Amino acid sequence: MKKILLLFIIISSFSNAQQRCNATEKLNEKLANDPVFREKHNRISQLLNRSDVSFSTNSTNVVVTIPVVIHVLYKTAQQNISDAQINSQIAILNADYRKLNADFSTVIPSVFQSFGADLELNFVLAKRTINNQFTTGIERKLVASSFIFDNNYYTADGLPAWDTYNYLNIWVGRFSDTTLLGFAYPPGALGLPYDGLCIGDQFFGNTGTATAPYNKGRTATHEIGHYFNLAHPWGNGNGATGTSCGVGSNSDGVADTPSTSAPYDGCPIFPDNSKACAATTNGSMFMNYMDYTNDACMAFFTAGQKIRALNALNGTRSGLTTSLGGTALLGTKDYDNNFVFSLNPNPANESFVISSPHITIDKVDIINSLGQIIKTKQFAQNGVAIEIDDLTSGIYFVKLYNNNKMLKTERLIKN
């Protein structure tokens, strides 16, 4: 059965080996020992999960490019996975998140197909660093045989994250416990050094070291769902049907995914009500990417999950929507300089000034860590001081505009 190390939620108890996912241990460790994570996780989760708050957009056919950095941490030559294996996973993510996967119509029962959604996310390997230098989006490092991948992937002994506001970081390596597949943190981890996806090389892509029945790239699809605030259909899960099944924390907060009490595994036969909170003719939606079935037996996200994911994307993870990480450098000085901006001082106390060598910034939006615009300022030239003495200390995003065209998002620290 599929045993995924999930840091997104605390799984209370299951009567099977899925307890070995260590979610409770890992999440409690961060909540107990990292007060920054604890505060952000609680605050952001409360906001993103409120029914009366929405950061999603009503526009359609607006595909957002997500720049991806792959950090390969290997102990043997075999674990130093090929570019082909990495590219296969990127292709799978794009098929799954755009509802272009070839198995949609064969895996998803006809009664559920109308629920399927194109999440309009396109994943690309990063083409430029945060400092506007060329990159392939892949970095590799040989680590010691004693290296504990799931604890140290983001440290100096591993490979530190690139700016988590502008890149989706994916670490690929080998877990000491080979029953573990991968884990990702929810939006509350934004800006923290471990934010991103940590995944075993045997469950990454569909070639090379990828191993059945998790060799179709769906572990990354599932975990990146958590990165965008998607939960399991059973929520925190109580392991049994009852009055709390599908209610509150035992729900994924999505109306069009039938509530279940616990995960499905393997390849169930449709319809199946064995884990359903309430038996129905169609049974559970066990073929959803956020369940635990085998890779070959999951094949879609729903429209409700899309709304929840876009809330996270346009809210807490809005830096990804304007990141230039996935945009190639053209090699001409003037063009590249157009995308070079500086905010000084940064960190700032009372004000900051924007400068750029070749382009005028005529408007800025200042956005808090929850994705809310808290201040807008328009001006006719660069070099105008933008007052921030009324802001509380913390991390903010500054969106830069020219002629109503949004150019880039920069991070600002307010002392």
Side-chain angles (χ1 to χ4, degrees):
M1 70 180 59
K2 192 170 187 176
K3 310 173 185 73
I4 297 179
L5 174 61
L6 295 172
L7 301 184
F8 179 70
I9 57 172
I10 300 175
I11 299 177
S12 57
S13 62
F14 295 113
S15 59
N16 53 40
Q18 285 174 314
Q19 291 180 8
R20 295 185 61 187
C21 75
N22 287 335
T24 299
E25 175 186 343
K26 288 288 187 178
L27 183 55
N28 282 345
E29 178 183 331
K30 294 299 184 188
L31 291 173
N33 299 322
D34 190 337
V36 175
F37 171 73
R38 181 173 62 247
E39 190 276 333
K40 289 185 67 177
H41 172 72
N42 292 338
R43 176 165 50 90
I44 291 173
S45 294
Q46 289 173 6
L47 181 67
L48 292 179
N49 295 336
R50 280 172 53 183
S51 60
D52 61 332
V53 176
S54 177
F55 296 106
S56 62
T57 175
N58 292 324
S59 61
T60 58
N61 300 316
V62 180
V63 179
V64 176
T65 296
I66 308 295
V68 178
V69 182
I70 306 293
H71 312 275
V72 181
L73 296 164
Y74 62 97
K75 300 178 180 180
T76 68
Q78 181 190 36
Q79 295 171 18
N80 187 15
I81 61 173
S82 67
D83 287 1
Q85 185 169 347
I86 292 170
N87 289 330
S88 75
Q89 181 64 75
I90 297 297
I92 290 164
L93 290 174
N94 287 328
D96 290 351
Y97 277 81
R98 296 300 318 277
K99 207 183 78 168
L100 297 173
N101 50 303
D103 57 354
F104 174 83
S105 60
T106 55
V107 171
I108 307 304
S110 58
V111 294
F112 286 142
Q113 288 185 11
S114 63
F115 292 76
D118 170 6
L119 267 62
E120 298 181 296
L121 298 180
N122 180 59
F123 299 84
V124 299
L125 291 173
K127 295 179 174 62
R128 67 169 74 189
T129 69
I130 199 68
N131 296 318
N132 286 312
Q133 300 297 313
F134 170 80
T135 180
T136 63
I138 302 170
E139 59 177 6
R140 303 170 183 276
K141 184 177 181 179
L142 175 66
V143 295
S145 59
S146 59
F147 182 78
I148 302 176
F149 176 55
D150 55 308
N151 288 341
N152 300 317
Y153 62 93
Y154 62 91
T155 67
D157 290 337
L159 286 168
W162 292 20
D163 188 311
T164 60
Y165 297 89
N166 287 281
Y167 300 91
L168 164 59
N169 287 267
I170 299 178
W171 289 267
V172 184
R174 186 65 61 98
F175 292 112
S176 299
D177 182 351
T178 56
T179 64
L180 305 178
L181 276 69
F183 61 86
Y185 284 93
L190 178 68
L192 299 177
Y194 41 78
D195 185 29
L197 164 62
C198 182
I199 186 169
D201 66 275
Q202 316 98 299
F203 320 112
F204 192 72
N206 62 8
T207 188
T209 62
T211 304
Y214 311 117
N215 60 339
K216 293 184 178 296
R218 264 56 192 273
T219 298
T221 299
H222 175 108
E223 299 300 342
I224 291 171
H226 288 314
Y227 175 85
F228 286 114
N229 204 40
L230 297 185
H232 299 134
W234 58 95
N236 284 348
N238 59 6
T241 57
T243 57
S244 63
C245 187
V247 177
S249 64
N250 293 324
S251 167
D252 63 356
V254 177
D256 60 4
T257 56
S259 298
T260 59
S261 61
Y264 283 87
D265 52 53
C267 284
I269 297 176
F270 172 82
D272 189 315
N273 280 295
S274 61
K275 308 291 178 64
C277 290
T280 62
T281 301
N282 297 331
S284 301
M285 194 181 281
F286 55 78
M287 66 295 300
N288 188 276
Y289 288 132
M290 298 312 295
D291 214 310
Y292 276 11
T293 51
N294 291 349
D295 279 17
C297 302
M298 54 171 60
F300 80 138
F301 292 112
T302 68
Q305 288 173 317
K306 176 178 181 177
I307 292 173
R308 187 177 175 96
L310 289 184
N311 263 334
L313 176 65
N314 294 305
T316 306
R317 297 205 181 277
S318 63
L320 295 171
T321 66
T322 58
S323 172
L324 294 174
T327 304
L329 292 163
L330 296 188
T332 61
K333 181 178 179 181
D334 287 344
Y335 178 87
D336 292 339
N337 280 342
N338 283 344
F339 294 94
V340 177
F341 306 94
S342 63
L343 275 62
N344 291 300
N346 191 8
N349 293 313
E350 298 180 352
S351 66
F352 66 90
V353 173
I354 298 172
S355 60
S356 176
H358 287 281
I359 195 166
T360 298
I361 306 303
D362 52 25
K363 175 187 172 184
V364 300
D365 287 335
I366 300 178
I367 301 169
N368 65 17
S369 62
L370 301 179
Q372 300 165 310
I373 298 176
I374 58 174
K375 179 174 288 194
T376 295
K377 186 173 180 64
Q378 293 180 304
F379 37 84
Q381 61 186 14
N382 294 341
V384 176
I386 300 169
E387 304 294 333
I388 57 169
D389 55 337
D390 57 330
L391 301 184
T392 59
S393 298
I395 296 175
Y396 296 86
F397 306 105
V398 181
K399 288 190 175 182
L400 312 177
Y401 295 82
N402 172 263
N403 291 327
N404 292 320
K405 179 181 179 181
M406 204 276 296
L407 300 173
K408 193 178 182 183
T409 300
E410 293 284 348
R411 185 171 36 154
L412 174 71
I413 300 174
K414 168 64 165 63
N415 285 330

